[in-house]
Amino acid sequence: MRPHYLLALFALLVPLVSAAKGSWKPVNISDPSVVELGKWSVSEFNKDVTLTKQLVFEKLVSGGSAVFKAGKLYALLFAARNESLADSGDNYLAGAWVQWSGKKRLIAFYKHKGRKN
Ligand SMILES: *[C@@H]1O[C@H](CO)[C@@H](O)[C@H](O)[C@H]1NC(C)=O
Ligand SMILES: *[C@@H]1O[C@H](CO)[C@@H](O)[C@H](O)[C@H]1NC(C)=O
């Protein structure tokens, strides 16, 4: 668990989510642009220089998005594998903020307990 991501989660995601109450919509996990965002989240996470082994994106499991004045907030649940481990990976949850300008920011990223499928 990474404290700075957790702080970001509580500082940004929670108020945003409550501000958007009722406007969350499930995303289409087959939509190539949503899959790209999942891959992007993993590559952003992998930029952390303190990591010894990187994560490898596998597939989206589920996700939701909410529209705001300045952009769109995505919460994506996906499967990813630690490149150093041969067997199956874990599910991860990422929060990605995408401004209408196209600028993206990863605001949360953490391991989700258990693997759904
Ligand atoms: C989801 O996205 C895929 C790929 O773009 C598309 O073929 C499919 O029809 C979409 N499904 C829904 C429910 O919109
Ligand atoms: C991958 O596994 C190795 C060995 O268990 C660990 O040191 C590393 O932090 C893991 N990487 C990630 C991104 O979880």
Side-chain angles (χ1 to χ4, degrees):
M1 208 55 99
R2 313 168 65 77
H4 61 288
Y5 283 121
L6 264 187
L7 275 180
L9 181 74
F10 288 109
L12 288 164
L13 199 55
V14 171
L16 284 176
V17 167
S18 27
K21 57 174 180 273
S23 64
W24 278 97
K25 291 200 181 89
V27 294
N28 177 354
I29 60 169
S30 305
D31 182 336
S33 68
V34 179
V35 175
E36 275 313 304
L37 192 62
K39 290 180 180 168
W40 175 84
S41 302
V42 171
S43 69
E44 281 296 296
F45 175 74
N46 283 337
K47 281 180 185 166
D48 186 335
V49 291
T50 63
L51 288 178
T52 48
K53 300 290 178 198
Q54 303 209 312
L55 288 179
V56 180
F57 178 85
E58 291 184 319
K59 63 175 171 117
L60 285 178
V61 176
S62 69
S65 70
V67 172
F68 294 89
K69 221 161 137 187
K72 211 166 169 183
L73 181 69
Y74 288 85
L76 300 175
L77 182 67
F78 54 86
R81 189 168 47 80
N82 183 323
E83 66 174 0
S84 74
L85 308 168
D87 56 1
S88 67
D90 290 297
N91 280 343
Y92 290 82
L93 191 63
W97 171 239
V98 183
Q99 287 176 251
W100 298 128
S101 64
K103 212 174 152 202
K104 297 195 280 279
R105 197 145 65 96
L106 186 66
I107 60 172
F109 193 103
Y110 58 94
K111 197 181 264 191
H112 189 76
K113 270 201 168 72
R115 180 151 194 172
K116 274 190 184 154
N117 54 2

